């Protein structure tokens, strides 16, 4: 038995550190070898299964389930089986807050793989902090690892601050210096406006008055008509049905003929550009996980696509017409493995050891591997933000084509921490 355990551990270490893609070797031998002491580790999945963000939430839920299944194939976390308990936030901050309390207080979730909806996320963090439970955000509002963050709040992906730092300087130099920002009238859009405005004005550009669109608006023309005619760069922030409405109606008005269309990954998340029938052609998008495999072609990306059941170009589900929310949903996969790494590095056994997990996460280096297929990254110690590579892509012939890779090292230089949560008590 001791010889088997040594071999198993050696294999798992090799796979997670980048040596072997899971699925290429038989892992089923570990299933009955979970340690009995301490029982299962319970991960809460705080997810948008219904409501406005359901098209993204489907993929976050699928990614979390696939990651937990893989972890359990590999012997669990520290030899303990992992159980995933899911609560639907319904894309509603008030409901999401109540569901988070249920996950922690009723279901006994030890750690939370959190919401991608910025409003839900920002409402959830104070509750997670009150209940002293690590919460991994997946939304982009910078406040989650900023003014509303805490010692318990972490994010492996980008936020509005990071996306502005990664893409806005390049767009300013290459697309234009007079900007108009149009976005939904809620936390995500407001945060993007504030962060991009700060970067563009610091560079010497002009940012016109923002145009905020109600979340239930279907007719975008009255808002598009407000765009100043001297705008050189139209920066948009929408999602789902509103993205489709924005791109198709902007195209019908011929806006792309007089200004450059620039956005962040969320605007075309869960949408294949070709499905817009040309309306997205020429749009520049900042991605943080390339939609197209060839721009990060390694065994981990390939295996991740396989396990998520998507193709290598559009990220379309192979048994449906759904398109993966790929620049966001990878976080629900990787957060499971970040928690695993911190538990095993810290020796965590029960809730009384949470301080050890938090300290292990602060400044953690996450190697490019099957556990972290987006790429190598750093969880910055001070503000718990993920330092990741980003990609500026352009829609050409209905496909994302990467024009520039912005490395995490480049971004860190212009993206200093604004907060230091390590100075606060746990």
């Amino acid at each position: 038995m001791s010889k088997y355990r040594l071999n198993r551990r050696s294999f798992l270490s090799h796979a997670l550190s980048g040596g072997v893609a899971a699925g290429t070797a038989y892992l089923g031998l570990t299933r009955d070898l979970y340690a009995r002491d301490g029982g299962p580790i319970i991960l809460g999945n705080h997810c948008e299964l219904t409501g406005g963000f359901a098209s993204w939430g489907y993929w976050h839920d699928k990614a979390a389930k696939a990651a937990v299944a893989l972890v359990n194939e590999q012997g669990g976390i520290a030899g303990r089986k992992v159980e995933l308990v899911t609560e639907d936030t319904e894309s509603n901050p008030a409901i999401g807050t109540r569901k988070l309390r249920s996950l922690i207080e009723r279901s006994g979730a030890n750690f939370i793989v959190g919401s991608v909806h910025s409003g839900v996320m920002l409402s959830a963090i104070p509750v997670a902090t009150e209940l002293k439970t690590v919460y991994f955000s997946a939304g982009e509002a910078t406040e989650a690892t900023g003014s509303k963050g805490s010692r318990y709040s972490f994010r492996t992906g980008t936020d509005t601050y990071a996306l502005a730092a990664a893409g806005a300087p390049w767009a300013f130099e290459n697309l234009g210096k007079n900007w108009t920002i149009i976005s939904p009238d809620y936390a995500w859009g407001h945060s993007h406006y504030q962060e991009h405005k700060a970067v563009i004005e610091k560079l010497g550009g002009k940012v016109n008055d923002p145009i905020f669109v109600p979340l239930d608006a279907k007719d975008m023309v009255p808002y598009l008509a407000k765009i100043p005619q001297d705008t050189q760069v139209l920066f948009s922030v929408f999602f789902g049905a509103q993205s489709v409405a924005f791109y198709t109606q902007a195209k019908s008005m011929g806006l792309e003929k007089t200004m450059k269309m620039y956005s962040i990954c969320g605007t075309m998340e869960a949408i294949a550009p070709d499905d817009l029938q040309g309306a997205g052609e020429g749009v520049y998008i900042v991605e943080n996980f390339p939609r197209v495999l060839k721009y990060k072609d390694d065994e981990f990306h390939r295996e991740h696509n396989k396990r998520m059941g998507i193709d290598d170009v559009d990220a379309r589900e192979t048994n449906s017409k759904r398109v993966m929310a790929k620049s966001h949903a990878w976080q629900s996969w990787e957060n499971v493995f970040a928690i695993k790494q911190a538990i095993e590095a810290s020796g965590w056994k029960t809730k009384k050891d949470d301080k050890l997990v938090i300290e292990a996460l602060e400044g953690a280096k996450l190697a490019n591997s099957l556990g972290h297929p987006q790429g190598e990254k750093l969880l910055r110690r001070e503000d718990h933000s993920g330092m990741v590579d980003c990609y500026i892509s352009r829609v050409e012939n209905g496909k994302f084509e990467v024009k520039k890779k912005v490395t995490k090292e480049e971004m860190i230089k212009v993206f200093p921490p604004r907060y230091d949560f390590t100075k606060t008590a746990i």
Side-chain angles (χ1 to χ4, degrees):
M1 177 63 75
S2 61
K3 180 179 179 181
Y4 173 77
R5 285 182 175 171
L6 177 62
N7 289 340
R8 177 176 68 84
R9 289 171 182 165
S10 177
F11 171 80
L12 295 179
S13 175
H14 189 46
L16 289 174
S17 65
V20 179
T24 62
Y26 178 62
L27 299 175
L29 293 172
T30 63
R31 289 181 177 173
D32 297 324
L33 297 176
Y34 298 116
R36 301 300 180 189
D37 296 339
I41 293 172
I42 300 175
L43 298 186
N45 185 24
H46 197 222
C47 188
E48 284 68 49
L49 299 181
T50 59
F53 265 72
S55 63
W56 295 20
Y58 170 85
W59 291 102
H60 284 266
D61 184 51
K62 185 172 183 177
K65 287 176 177 175
V68 168
L70 176 57
V71 165
N72 283 332
E73 283 179 31
Q74 296 173 332
I77 297 178
R80 293 166 64 175
K81 186 175 182 179
V82 180
E83 293 183 0
L84 187 72
V85 180
T86 302
E87 287 282 3
D88 178 14
T89 74
E90 301 179 36
S91 305
N92 182 299
I95 293 172
T97 300
R98 176 165 52 82
K99 295 293 186 70
L100 178 61
R101 285 191 179 277
S102 177
L103 277 174
I104 299 170
E105 295 181 328
R106 299 183 64 182
S107 299
N110 302 116
F111 306 95
I112 304 293
V113 178
S115 170
V116 70
H117 184 294
S118 287
V120 172
M121 172 184 77
L122 295 178
S123 297
I125 289 170
V127 174
T129 302
E130 172 198 336
L131 300 178
K132 298 185 180 302
T133 301
V134 170
Y135 185 96
F136 270 88
S137 302
E140 286 180 354
T142 192
E143 293 85 352
T145 46
S147 61
K148 293 190 176 181
S150 78
R151 203 74 186 271
Y152 292 88
S153 175
F154 290 85
R155 175 165 38 203
T156 47
T158 53
D159 61 3
T160 57
Y161 178 31
L163 287 167
W170 182 91
F172 177 80
E173 290 298 329
N174 293 276
L175 305 183
K177 297 173 172 51
N178 185 312
W179 286 46
T180 297
I181 298 174
I182 183 168
S183 76
D185 192 9
Y186 100 118
W188 185 48
H190 286 265
S191 188
H192 269 297
Y193 167 68
Q194 292 163 4
E195 297 296 345
H196 283 78
K197 181 176 187 289
V199 173
I200 297 305
E201 290 186 341
K202 184 177 180 180
L203 292 170
K206 177 183 178 182
V207 178
N208 299 305
D209 291 340
I211 301 170
F212 292 124
V213 180
L215 282 170
D216 60 352
K218 296 180 177 61
D219 182 5
M220 308 292 285
V221 173
Y223 304 98
L224 295 172
K226 296 180 181 180
I227 299 168
Q229 292 185 355
D230 60 351
T231 297
Q232 295 174 315
V233 179
L234 180 60
F235 177 63
S236 62
V237 184
F238 292 101
F239 62 91
Q242 274 200 328
S243 281
V244 176
F246 168 77
Y247 284 120
T248 55
Q249 293 174 40
K251 183 75 171 182
S252 70
M253 294 173 65
L255 294 183
E256 83 286 355
K257 296 176 182 177
T258 61
M259 60 193 71
K260 300 294 185 182
M261 309 291 280
Y262 174 72
S263 191
I264 39 80
C265 47
T267 304
M268 283 198 197
E269 279 290 62
I271 299 170
D274 201 44
D275 290 346
L276 295 173
Q277 299 180 334
E281 198 68 14
V283 176
Y284 291 86
I285 298 282
V286 182
E287 301 184 87
N288 58 35
F289 196 171
R291 182 82 60 95
V292 181
L293 173 68
K294 70 179 181 180
Y295 291 111
K296 185 188 179 294
D297 190 359
D298 60 34
E299 60 184 316
F300 309 121
H301 191 173
R302 290 193 296 272
E303 181 66 19
H304 179 71
N305 283 1
K306 179 180 177 182
R307 286 181 173 259
M308 289 301 295
I310 60 172
D311 71 40
D312 295 334
V313 177
D314 290 322
R316 194 184 298 278
E317 197 169 34
T318 53
N319 62 356
S320 78
K321 293 185 178 180
R322 288 188 177 101
V323 175
M324 183 178 177
K326 194 172 181 181
S327 270
H328 290 83
W330 63 267
Q331 294 175 78
S332 292
W333 171 290
E334 290 206 16
N335 293 343
V336 172
F337 285 91
I339 291 167
K340 171 182 168 67
Q341 178 175 311
I343 288 173
E344 293 180 342
S346 68
W348 182 93
K349 301 293 185 186
T350 66
K351 285 289 290 181
K352 67 181 178 60
D353 300 321
D354 279 6
K355 181 176 185 290
L356 301 177
V357 167
I358 291 171
E359 290 173 344
L361 287 169
E362 291 173 335
K365 294 180 180 179
L366 307 176
N368 185 29
S369 61
L370 183 53
H372 300 286
Q374 186 274 341
E376 177 185 294
K377 58 186 56 64
L378 169 72
L379 277 178
R380 188 157 58 186
R381 181 176 181 272
E382 294 88 350
D383 60 0
H384 301 181
S385 293
M387 303 293 106
V388 304
D389 296 333
C390 290
Y391 303 78
I392 301 174
S393 300
R394 185 172 185 262
V395 177
E396 297 176 354
N397 299 315
K399 301 289 184 292
F400 284 104
E401 303 291 351
V402 173
K403 299 300 176 182
K404 177 177 173 57
K405 177 180 178 179
V406 182
T407 68
K408 60 184 178 302
E409 290 79 13
E410 290 176 290
M411 192 167 67
I412 288 170
K413 292 178 182 178
V414 293
F415 178 51
R418 294 167 170 167
Y419 293 84
D420 187 351
F421 300 128
T422 64
K423 294 180 179 179
T424 62
I426 298 175

